[in-house]
Amino acid sequence: MASSQESSSQNHPPAPAQPLEYQQQNDPQQAAAYPYIDPSVMNSQQQQQQQQQQQQQHPPPPPGAYPPQPYGYPLMFYPSFTPPYAQSTPPKAKRAQVRNACTNCQKACKRCDEVRPCTRCTKYGIPNECVDSERKKRKAGIKRGPYKRKAPDDGGVSSADGARTLTPQATHTPAPPQTPVYPPPHPYYPPPPGQHPSHQMIPIYGLAPNGTPLAMDGQPIQFGTTYPYPFAYMAPGPPGHSAPMHHGPESTPMHGVHPDSRRSGDAGDNDVKRPGDATNGDDDDEEAADDQAAGHNASSDQSHSSPINGNSHPTSHPHHPHQSQEHMNNSQPPYYPYSHPGQHMYEYAQHQHQHHPSSGYPYPPPGVPAAQPPPIHMQLQPVPAPPSSPPSSSQQQPPSAATKSAKKAKTAKGKGKTHDGDMSMEGQGEAAGTGDSAKRSGKSGKAKKMGAADEGGEPTQADVDADAAAAVAKGAGGGGVDAVDGSEVAQDREDDEDELMD
DNA sequence: CCTTTCGGAGGTTAAACTGA
DNA sequence: CAGTTTAACCTCCGAAAGGC
Ligand SMILES: [Zn+2]
Ligand SMILES: [Zn+2]
């Protein structure tokens, strides 16, 4: 089964009507859009863990329990959820995510895949530069408060100290007393030990022409009212396909938290204190510390802190403030200037120093048809050097390189976007990052297009040409990105750290 | 129009806890 | 010590800003 998809599917209810991107997974030709992760690609540990998780959450249905699915993918619903097809905007399927993006993709903040060289690098003709990004080891020794334990009976979660938290169901379902109660379609699989009945899943055997989910008996499953057995339990997809075996809030790693409420403090229980809150040090403090490290003052950060996150957003995602702060643990020297109190210091750093490598990449390289990428497991062979592309000696410049220099110049100028404070910081960062940009300079500063289209995008000829040019420019230098790229991140980090030290 | 920026949603998984 | 819970760490989508 698709690794990331598998495990991640626990977090989010895939939509009955699969968004195009995700549907494409069924289409070998478009598999790369949302890569199907070949099990063979994932390491045994992954598989093991996934299996483990699956089994923890729900016992697999007996073989042949379900008739063949008209759709290879699961359909499930949260309680009281208006069926997606009844909504104007179908919910998004869960996003597939690789375990570890390659450095190029990471820098570009673009989708990578499990194979190496990754599809993207391959497409850009820089397979040899495709190396796994380094993953930071998780901090150990961080104390947490007592864990909440699930209360099997009431659908609630009780904390060790007696505090109670609502489960997703409780949170998202008003649970009107007079709401009709439907018996679970038969067959269904009993919830795992200790799991609340409301977590049971309904097998959906298909969809009526109008999109109504059908139970095994062919009868439409009622939605739109509180449904006691709201979760669809999708039968496994056809052989060779990765149909998640289970879904639903309970199966998410965030246990008992609706996917939409994962951000702590959401789900209406803002008062519930995370265990970490008690022991982990104050978020604000951390942020402040971070700010300091970043040469900021807290207030400015605050001001630019996302309107959604911190300040005005009515339905702010409380988790985000937290998420952002998690990067600011003062116990750990920041790698980057966190001019953004927000999360994604990684990406942010990238933005600061690299200006989206992606934009520097020709996509696909000249001469390479922009057609559908092959399925991942077939993407191992590097794209032959594009005919029109001069750099025969070296590969094309990675997306990053081309744009970086040009951009850096810009940014350094103080080109401000919306957040002045940030920008100023960014400016500093840029300045500091000069070394890097210098390294990258010498390449054409021409910015290329890729942006939105990105993975699936079709680069214009101009882009391609530009990239080619860039590649040439760079190619002369030899070295290639791999030298630069591989160490780029580390280098950047070092730079940043140095800055911070000051 | 195109590229870049970056806010932030969402996924993964290892460390902390917990109960047996 | 295995199972559970939590959050640290990470990916990358997609809208908005800015430049040409
Ligand atoms: Zn990649
Ligand atoms: Zn790669």
Side-chain angles (χ1 to χ4, degrees), chain A residues 376-397:
Chain A
I376 287 182
H377 58 281
M378 299 175 63
Q379 295 170 354
L380 294 176
Q381 42 325 42
V383 174
S388 61
S389 152
S392 56
S393 55
S394 67
Q395 293 95 0
Q396 306 184 17
Q397 178 180 16

Side-chain angles (χ1 to χ4, degrees), chain A residues 84-370:
Chain A
Y85 38 78
Q87 301 173 348
S88 51
T89 58
K92 278 176 85 172
K94 186 179 157 136
R95 185 183 87 206
Q97 184 175 299
V98 299
R99 259 169 68 87
N100 195 353
C102 74
T103 54
N104 288 327
C105 294
Q106 186 187 56
K107 281 182 254 181
C109 298
K110 297 302 177 185
R111 186 182 306 129
C112 193
D113 51 50
E114 298 281 356
V115 299
R116 291 290 177 270
C118 72
T119 304
R120 194 161 169 275
C121 288
T122 299
K123 283 183 173 237
Y124 292 125
I126 50 170
N128 58 319
E129 294 171 11
C130 184
V131 298
D132 281 343
S133 58
E134 240 178 83
R135 281 184 91 92
K136 217 169 136 188
K137 179 157 173 67
R138 195 170 307 206
K139 287 177 294 194
I142 297 183
K143 284 297 175 187
R144 300 179 178 187
Y147 282 0
K148 298 171 186 170
R149 304 299 292 185
K150 270 186 198 168
D153 288 341
D154 54 14
V157 175
S158 47
S159 63
D161 60 336
R164 294 188 61 73
T165 316
L166 296 180
T167 62
Q169 286 70 33
T171 299
H172 291 268
T173 306
Q178 59 280 76
T179 301
V181 171
Y182 300 87
H186 189 74
Y188 74 95
Y189 297 91
Q195 194 144 77
H196 190 272
S198 67
H199 300 156
Q200 290 168 355
M201 297 188 266
I202 306 168
I204 294 181
Y205 286 94
L207 295 179
N210 66 0
T212 303
L214 300 176
M216 191 181 78
D217 59 3
Q219 297 303 306
I221 297 173
Q222 295 267 351
F223 289 98
T225 56
T226 302
Y227 198 81
Y229 302 94
F231 301 109
Y233 188 8
M234 200 60 169
H241 285 256
S242 56
M245 300 293 289
H246 57 81
H247 292 280
E250 277 313 294
S251 58
T252 91
M254 299 306 284
H255 299 292
V257 179
H258 185 286
D260 289 343
S261 310
R262 279 182 51 198
R263 312 288 175 220
S264 68
D266 206 348
D269 60 336
N270 347 329
D271 290 336
V272 177
K273 203 148 175 73
R274 288 176 289 111
D277 288 339
T279 55
N280 231 2
D282 181 33
D283 285 347
D284 291 331
D285 290 343
E286 289 176 3
E287 186 167 10
D290 190 62
D291 288 337
Q292 277 202 331
H296 283 198
N297 64 56
S299 61
S300 70
D301 274 355
Q302 198 65 340
S303 66
H304 87 236
S305 117
S306 158
I308 293 180
N309 250 2
N311 302 330
S312 52
H313 201 291
T315 56
S316 66
H317 298 278
H319 192 66
H320 265 297
H322 164 66
Q323 189 174 38
S324 23
Q325 288 144 10
E326 59 184 52
H327 296 300
M328 307 173 180
N329 194 309
N330 35 20
S331 68
Q332 172 180 74
Y335 279 144
Y336 307 102
Y338 306 149
S339 54
H340 292 265
Q343 72 269 26
H344 297 187
M345 58 185 248
Y346 312 99
E347 181 172 355
Y348 180 62
Q350 292 159 15
H351 290 309
Q352 290 237 323
H353 297 283
Q354 283 130 30
H355 304 121
H356 267 228
S358 61
S359 26
Y361 279 110
Y363 185 83
V368 175

